[in-house]
Amino acid sequence: MIEEVKENLQLCNDMVKINGNELRNGFVVEHNDGLWTVVKVEHVKPGKGGAFAQVELRNLRNGSKLNERFRSVDRVERVRLEQKEQQYLYTDGDFLVFMDNRDFDQVYLKADLLQDRMPFLKEGMTVTVEFYGDEALSLTLPQKVACRVEETEPVVAGQTAANSFKPALLDNGVRIHVPPFINVGDEVMVHTETGEYSERV
């Protein structure tokens, strides 16, 4: 009973009311009995009536999307999630299994949270998992990961890195564009958010 009260108090401390016009990309809010992350905010000032924020929200539990209008007088519960570093262990069906290296607790997250970034997740990689109480809701990969070039075209005389890129296939199956001086077997750093080449390792 005491532990339950403490947990409820902690969750209350992790929420703070803000005005609708204070919403920003990346904020997590409690809305319509769900937890949502703010994907996009557009501030609108119509000719008639008061200004409002047109907000695109994504549900952290099921991935559904919602578009809402919030006026400055609307009060929204902003939720602060706890971030913990977790090590990726393996895939179990539709779930990814991670472990906290401090207490060795394991947590399961839906693989579809990563969508097209899934190929960049490697065994043993440390990621940031966001928790609401004991519930794991989202994960963030490192900004860049190293990948090996499996296939690419040979360098063509006269090509320079400044004016052209060429297609390449990475060891994780992802196709990207790389500068002409990159060869098969080279390791390159790739941005996990965009899938774009960063630099040669």
Side-chain angles (χ1 to χ4, degrees), residues 136-153:
L137 290 172
S138 68
L139 69 141
T140 305
L141 296 179
Q143 282 190 320
K144 301 175 188 176
V145 297
C147 300
R148 192 176 67 256
V149 176
E150 292 283 308
E151 295 176 16
T152 191
E153 299 167 1

Side-chain angles (χ1 to χ4, degrees), residues 20-157:
N21 61 353
E22 293 180 284
L23 287 169
R24 299 287 181 270
N25 288 358
F27 279 17
V28 176
V29 297
E30 188 175 54
H31 181 66
N32 287 355
D33 297 322
L35 287 178
W36 306 77
T37 185
V38 177
V39 177
K40 185 178 177 183
V41 180
E42 184 181 350
H43 293 279
V44 181
K45 293 182 179 177
K48 292 182 179 180
F52 61 88
Q54 185 71 41
V55 182
E56 183 180 326
L57 301 167
R58 181 172 55 81
N59 191 294
L60 284 172
R61 292 188 173 111
N62 60 29
S64 63
K65 289 195 173 179
L66 183 67
N67 280 289
E68 290 280 25
R69 284 185 180 184
F70 293 99
R71 298 168 299 151
S72 59
V73 295
D74 291 331
R75 301 288 282 168
V76 185
E77 291 274 12
R78 183 183 176 190
V79 178
R80 298 188 191 280
L81 301 180
E82 183 183 3
Q83 296 186 335
K84 295 181 182 178
E85 287 194 343
Q86 304 274 316
Q87 184 180 20
Y88 171 56
L89 298 179
Y90 56 89
T91 300
D92 184 2
D94 295 332
F95 291 88
L96 307 172
V97 184
F98 297 88
M99 181 180 71
D100 189 318
N101 284 327
R102 291 168 301 178
D103 55 21
F104 307 110
D105 278 352
Q106 292 186 8
V107 63
Y108 288 71
L109 277 162
K110 288 184 178 177
D112 58 14
L113 280 173
L114 282 179
Q115 299 177 354
D116 55 357
R117 294 173 296 149
M118 184 66 191
F120 295 111
L121 182 65
K122 298 183 178 184
E123 192 175 311
M125 177 182 282
T126 298
V127 303
T128 302
V129 177
E130 292 191 309
F131 289 83
Y132 179 63
D134 290 328
E135 182 183 7
L137 290 172
S138 68
L139 69 141
T140 305
L141 296 179
Q143 282 190 320
K144 301 175 188 176
V145 297
C147 300
R148 192 176 67 256
V149 176
E150 292 283 308
E151 295 176 16
T152 191
E153 299 167 1
V155 177
V156 177

